[in-house]
Amino acid sequence: MRGGRGQERAITGNRQSSWAFADAYGAELVDDAENDALRWARERARQAGVRAVSPSTGATLRLLAATVGAKAVAEIGTGTGVSGIHLLAGMRPDGVLTTVDVEPEGQQFARQAFRAAGFVGNRARFIPGSALDVLPRLADGGYDMVFCDGDRSECLAYFDEALRLLRPGGLVCFEGVFAGGRTVDSSAQPTEVLKLRELLGAVRESSALVPSLLPVGDGLLCAVKRNL
């Protein structure tokens, strides 16, 4: 292709600028209390070395939670509460977020962040422990949305549990499926990246789902459970 390399550089630069603009736009969609809480939670995540969703991913989660009219959301990977704030902001005012994480200290940070963002205590249910131990105890078809941001090597097991947990018309989302660009890198990759590739294939091929891969943050794989 004529001028291929230069054009590729231009496209890459344009995409990076667009992604930066999308993150800045997402950050402007929150009120002052939420913004202060998000900054505090992000700093706790940075100090702990924990991944936190980007502002554009957070804005997308708000939109999706509002779109499905989410009253019950299950979150795998509390972190320090960044994603939870966005999910709660998009959910119905009487909605409850059930959030699972192996790190109780992070959940304490999240509890503080939710309170600072203006959410009352009964809006979130914190369950410490391994997701694969906790999820089987949650109700079949009891959730409008499942957000997965846990151990990437367990993503296929999360997928199976999410299908069971979701009501018809419910939505599942997986954060970080680009894995910093490694998912599409043809060189040798660690197990977690190979699992993400399997997940992408499983979601795409499932007749029970209507999927889409959104290029926000580090990749947000979403799918709606069909009314079969």
Side-chain angles (χ1 to χ4, degrees):
M1 183 174 64
R2 294 174 59 187
R5 187 176 296 275
Q7 185 177 31
E8 181 180 339
R9 282 198 296 267
I11 291 173
T12 301
N14 288 339
R15 283 179 177 172
Q16 290 173 340
S17 297
S18 297
W19 288 334
F21 178 80
D23 267 346
Y25 185 83
E28 293 171 356
L29 298 177
V30 300
D31 63 28
D32 290 341
E34 288 178 9
N35 197 31
D36 289 343
L38 284 167
R39 279 198 296 263
W40 184 87
R42 284 188 185 283
E43 179 58 21
R44 301 291 82 71
R46 186 193 66 78
Q47 292 173 351
V50 174
R51 295 194 312 266
V53 299
S54 71
S56 58
T57 300
T60 303
L61 292 175
R62 286 173 183 246
L63 172 68
L64 294 173
T67 298
V68 298
K71 183 176 181 180
V73 174
E75 178 184 45
I76 303 169
T78 308
T80 57
V82 175
S83 54
I85 289 174
H86 288 291
L87 289 165
L88 285 165
M91 294 168 64
R92 288 170 40 171
D94 59 344
V96 176
L97 173 68
T98 298
T99 183
V100 181
D101 203 295
V102 295
E103 296 294 341
E105 182 180 8
Q107 291 194 320
Q108 288 302 317
F109 287 141
R111 195 186 301 273
Q112 295 177 56
F114 293 173
R115 185 165 55 247
F119 301 112
V120 296
N122 62 2
R123 291 290 311 277
R125 178 170 62 141
F126 295 90
I127 305 179
S130 165
L132 297 185
D133 291 334
V134 173
L135 295 177
R137 305 202 301 264
L138 302 183
D140 293 7
Y143 293 84
D144 305 299
M145 183 174 179
V146 178
F147 174 59
C148 305
D149 191 18
D151 185 341
R152 291 169 176 169
S153 67
E154 297 179 344
C155 61
L156 289 168
Y158 299 160
F159 175 53
D160 290 339
E161 286 294 328
L163 288 180
R164 180 184 63 79
L165 293 173
L166 285 174
R167 64 164 174 80
L171 176 70
V172 60
C173 298
F174 291 86
E175 158 63 6
V177 295
F178 291 164
R182 292 177 296 165
T183 303
V184 296
D185 190 333
S186 60
S187 62
Q189 297 295 335
T191 298
E192 68 172 33
V193 175
L194 301 181
K195 293 293 184 182
L196 287 172
R197 290 175 182 169
E198 290 183 51
L199 173 69
L200 286 162
V203 171
R204 182 184 59 228
E205 294 164 11
S206 174
S207 61
L209 299 172
V210 180
S212 183
L213 177 55
L214 306 182
V216 295
D218 196 24
L220 188 66
L221 176 62
C222 302
V224 174
K225 184 176 180 179
R226 292 182 184 273
N227 289 282
L228 297 177

